[in-house]
Structure formats: C-alpha cells, structure tokens
C-alpha cells in the first residue's frame, strides 16, 4: 500500500483523486486536505482535464470525518486561539473555487467532515450500502465547520434532524433529500460513475467553467442582482470560441470539437 495519503490517477479527461487512508476509514487530516488541494490545482493546470472524481480507497468508507485524537486537555482536537484557521476550511474553499466540476464517488460511509466533503462536491453517485450523517452531537460537538456546506445542500428540516439527533441515514434517504444524484448497488458504482462523467466531459469545458463562476456568484445574491449578473454573463459566454463552435456544430448537425477557449 502506498504511503501517500492522497493518490491521483488520470483516466481520460478525468482526474481521479483517492483519499488513501483505508486503515483510518479515509479520515481527514492536514496531509489529506493539502493533497486534495494539490490534486485540484494539478487538474486545473491540465488543459485536457474536464472533471475531477473524488473517492475513498478501499471499500470501507468514502470518508469517516476528521481524524480526531485526544489533545493534552482531553478535547478531541487542538486549536490555536490566536489563529483558528483550519485546514479543512482551506480545503473546502479550494473545492468551492474549482473551475472544474467535482464528482463524488461515495463508496462507503460519509460521516461528519466526510459529509461536508461530499457537500463540497458538485455531484455525487453513491453505493446503496453507504451511510451518511453528522454524529458530532453524540460526542459533545456540533458540525459547525461543515454547516455552511450543509445549509446549501440539505432541506432545513432534515438539516436540523441530522445535526441534532446525530443519527445515520441510508443512501436512499440521502437521495430523497437531494444530497446525492444517484444510488446504485456496489457492483454498479463504477459503471454509473463513468456514465455521469461521460455526460460531463463531452460538454463545453468553457461553458462549465464560466457556469461554475455564475453558480457561485448568484448563490448569495438577491433575485434582481442575479438577473443583472445573468444578463451580463450570457453575452460574454456567447463570444467564446467554444460557444461559436457549439453553435456551428449544431447547425451542421455534427458533434462539436471543443477548444476550451
């Protein structure tokens, strides 16, 4: 087994990123966070890369949360009160800023920080055997660090329920609350993941890149601000080489040849 805590593999137009700590149920630590950040930056620097796939090594977990260990005071982690900035937040910010779509392949439990990691991705395909939850309340904590992500993905009533009770829920329940896009059997997970990636990587990378900027921008705008932004963004997109090629291909009834420009 490689000692690297994050592994990268290029498969066609997709950068596959594996959290490689199966013995710790792929728990997050600073090395993992830095590895995911580095993988995103490498993917964005590759002009042939169209998407990022994030998953866990092995078949035991997607990510079981933060790698909590007792501090000298008995608390589950240490913090510098003069500089409380956390590596997990730095990773979430980098994922949010990614110009490439990030797809989660949920091959096992996504718990606590792992649930936040899932919410930081743009889309997700999950195994029917996966479990989800924010069990922090059971050890005297609350999922404060992942709360901004949970708020943007989950319905409010379900968010309260999972945060306050700390109980786990199934992949089918996760699908019903729009946490994930698809649920399939463990045997079908790779096939369904590749199917979704194929539907992403054959589209205009320029449109997706600018579209992700638009998603981030309008999320916290008023309705009028969002309309104003949209009517400025669309004409800009129409001037890109990808848009011109896409429109020409549509007229000529052929598949477009994307330029990524």
């Amino acid at each position: 087994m490689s000692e690297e805590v994050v592994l990268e593999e290029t498969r066609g137009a997709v950068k596959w990123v594996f959290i490689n700590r199966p013995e710790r149920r792929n728990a997050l630590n600073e090395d993992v966070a830095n590895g995911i950040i580095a993988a995103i930056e490498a993917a964005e620097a590759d002009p042939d890369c169209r998407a990022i796939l994030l998953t866990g090594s092995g078949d035991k977990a997607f990510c079981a949360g933060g790698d909590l260990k007792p501090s000298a005071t008995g608390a589950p982690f240490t913090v510098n009160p003069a500089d409380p900035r956390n590596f997990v937040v730095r990773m979430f910010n980098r994922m949010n800023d990614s110009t490439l779509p990030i797809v989660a392949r949920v091959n096992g439990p996504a718990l606590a920080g792992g649930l936040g990691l899932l919410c930081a991705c743009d889309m997700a395909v999950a195994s029917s055997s996966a479990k989800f939850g924010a069990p922090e309340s059971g050890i005297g904590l609350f999922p404060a660090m992942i709360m901004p992500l949970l708020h943007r993905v989950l319905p409010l009533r379900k968010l309260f329920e999972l945060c306050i009770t700390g109980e786990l829920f199934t992949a089918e329940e996760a699908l019903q609350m729009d946490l994930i896009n698809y649920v399939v059997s463990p045997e079908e997970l790779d096939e369904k993941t590749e199917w979704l990636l194929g539907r992403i990587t054959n589209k205009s990378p320029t449109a997706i890149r600018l579209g992700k900027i638009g998603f981030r921008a309008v999320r916290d705008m008023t309705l009028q601000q969002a309309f104003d932004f949209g009517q400025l963004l669309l004409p800009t997109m129409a001037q890109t080489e990808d848009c011109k090629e896409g429109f020409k291909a549509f007229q000529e009834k052929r598949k477009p040849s994307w330029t990524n420009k």
Side-chain angles (χ1 to χ4, degrees):
M1 177 66 67
S2 171
E3 295 181 356
E4 295 182 67
V5 296
V6 173
L7 301 178
E8 301 176 31
E9 181 180 334
T10 299
R11 300 185 185 179
V14 181
K15 168 84 74 176
W16 282 60
V17 181
F18 300 83
I19 303 175
N20 189 40
R21 303 185 72 208
E23 76 287 352
R24 297 290 298 170
R25 295 173 64 81
N26 296 320
L28 292 170
N29 61 17
E30 190 162 7
D31 288 338
V32 171
N34 288 338
I36 291 174
I37 291 171
I40 292 171
E41 292 177 348
E44 290 181 350
D46 180 357
D48 296 323
C49 187
R50 298 289 184 264
I52 298 168
L53 189 286
L54 180 63
T55 190
S57 292
D59 57 4
K60 302 298 184 190
F62 171 72
C63 176
D67 196 357
L68 302 182
K69 297 178 181 179
S71 66
T73 65
F77 55 81
T78 60
V79 63
N80 178 1
D83 186 7
R85 291 175 295 180
N86 191 281
F87 60 85
V88 172
V89 173
R90 186 170 71 250
M91 176 188 67
F92 286 156
N93 276 324
R94 188 62 186 87
M95 293 176 72
N96 183 63
D97 289 341
S98 175
T99 57
L100 293 170
I102 303 176
V103 177
R105 173 186 174 273
V106 187
N107 56 312
L111 308 176
L115 182 65
L117 187 66
L118 167 60
C119 289
C121 296
D122 300 307
M123 288 167 272
V125 180
S127 166
S128 56
S129 63
K131 299 290 184 181
F132 305 81
E136 287 91 337
S137 63
I139 60 169
L141 292 172
F142 206 75
M145 202 177 304
I146 64 174
M147 188 66 65
L149 293 167
L150 300 185
H151 256 297
R152 283 168 164 77
V153 176
L154 291 167
L156 187 60
R157 296 295 186 188
K158 281 296 182 182
L159 176 59
F160 272 119
E161 179 182 347
L162 73 91
C163 290
I164 290 173
T165 69
E167 298 295 331
L168 304 188
F169 51 97
T170 68
E172 285 296 337
E173 291 171 320
L175 181 65
Q176 292 171 14
M177 64 179 78
D178 294 332
L179 178 64
I180 54 182
N181 296 83
Y182 301 99
V183 176
V184 294
S185 68
E187 296 77 19
E188 297 172 307
L189 182 59
D190 283 340
E191 181 181 355
K192 192 66 175 181
T193 301
E194 292 284 5
W195 171 83
L196 179 57
L197 290 170
R199 297 176 75 193
I200 296 169
T201 56
N202 68 355
K203 304 304 188 300
S204 163
T206 305
I208 292 172
R209 182 169 59 251
L210 295 177
K212 286 201 69 178
I213 293 172
F215 267 114
R216 290 195 301 268
V218 303
R219 185 165 52 195
D220 297 316
M221 289 180 181
T222 65
L223 184 61
Q224 187 58 55
Q225 288 170 336
F227 283 146
D228 290 342
F229 179 86
Q231 64 188 0
L232 293 173
L233 177 61
L234 193 60
T236 299
M237 297 176 71
Q239 297 305 310
T240 66
E241 292 184 20
D242 263 8
C243 182
K244 294 173 183 177
E245 163 61 15
F247 187 60
K248 184 178 180 181
F250 174 77
Q251 291 179 310
E252 297 175 354
K253 296 181 172 55
R254 61 172 175 81
K255 292 184 178 180
S257 178
W258 303 121
T259 66
N260 199 11
K261 297 180 181 178

